Amino acid sequence: MDDKCHYIDAWDLLIAHPPCTYLSNAGARHLWKGHVLQPDRVMKGIEGRDLFMRFWWADIPRICVENPIPSRVFCLPPYTQAIQPYEYGHPYSKKTCLWLKNLPPLFPTDIVEPVATWCPSGSYAHKHDERNKGMFTTDRAKNRAKTFTGVADAMSDQWGGFK
């Protein structure tokens, strides 16, 4: 970023945000359509799981992989911690899982009262009251994939100088 060439022998920390489209529990309903298993969806889920596991098995001493609650079908390892945006200064709920290797769990930095669900999945938004309908019902995937700045700041502050 400073227009100079830098040589990095090895990374000491990886914070990965792999795509969750086919791994998430929210998308699990698409695996079965009309009570028939959708092989293309299963294959995309397996590819997503393989990418997730490449991050998890990386030769880096400290690792955090972030994703929503995964579908059990793809057999990801158990997550270490679940966090919410409202624990980091954003008034929304959006349960996010962290898989941590050689890192302490994040601790909340600014707990506020949630006013809405960030981006509910699928039909959830149509079955609940206004507060739980969520902030976005269109372009849900793009908005749901965003990392809240309060969470990113907490990761940076709490793990940035970790030795």
Side-chain angles (χ1 to χ4, degrees):
M1 306 264 307
D2 59 5
D3 293 325
K4 296 179 184 170
C5 185
H6 297 273
Y7 175 75
I8 298 171
D9 185 39
W11 295 103
D12 60 351
L13 171 64
L14 167 68
I15 301 175
H17 304 269
C20 63
T21 305
Y22 301 102
L23 291 177
S24 167
N25 210 29
R29 72 182 190 281
H30 298 295
L31 288 172
W32 296 89
K33 289 215 175 155
H35 302 289
V36 177
L37 185 64
Q38 303 299 302
D40 59 325
R41 190 84 184 187
V42 173
M43 287 307 299
K44 288 179 180 179
I46 291 169
E47 290 170 5
R49 188 243 0 246
D50 291 349
L51 176 61
F52 179 103
M53 294 308 296
R54 288 181 71 189
F55 287 124
W56 187 241
W57 290 328
D59 186 20
I60 299 172
R62 286 172 290 286
I63 297 172
C64 170
V65 183
E66 174 273 342
N67 244 230
I69 296 175
S71 174
R72 288 181 286 174
V73 172
F74 299 111
C75 301
L76 291 179
Y79 57 87
T80 310
Q81 177 183 18
I83 60 171
Q84 291 278 0
Y86 60 77
E87 298 172 323
Y88 302 89
H90 304 278
Y92 307 105
S93 61
K94 176 193 169 201
K95 188 174 183 179
T96 302
C97 302
L98 303 178
W99 285 257
L100 304 175
K101 191 180 287 186
N102 297 320
L103 287 169
L106 275 185
F107 57 85
T109 57
D110 183 14
I111 298 174
V112 297
E113 189 68 29
V115 297
T117 303
W118 181 246
C119 290
S121 61
S123 61
Y124 181 89
H126 304 293
K127 296 178 183 174
H128 294 83
D129 62 23
E130 285 302 313
R131 177 176 176 226
N132 293 309
K133 280 190 174 186
M135 295 304 296
F136 298 98
T137 54
T138 59
D139 207 4
R140 205 178 284 129
K142 181 178 178 182
N143 288 303
R144 195 156 169 78
K146 294 180 186 249
T147 299
F148 287 88
T149 56
V151 173
D153 289 344
M155 290 175 171
S156 175
D157 293 344
Q158 295 176 39
W159 298 335
F162 195 80
K163 300 286 181 201

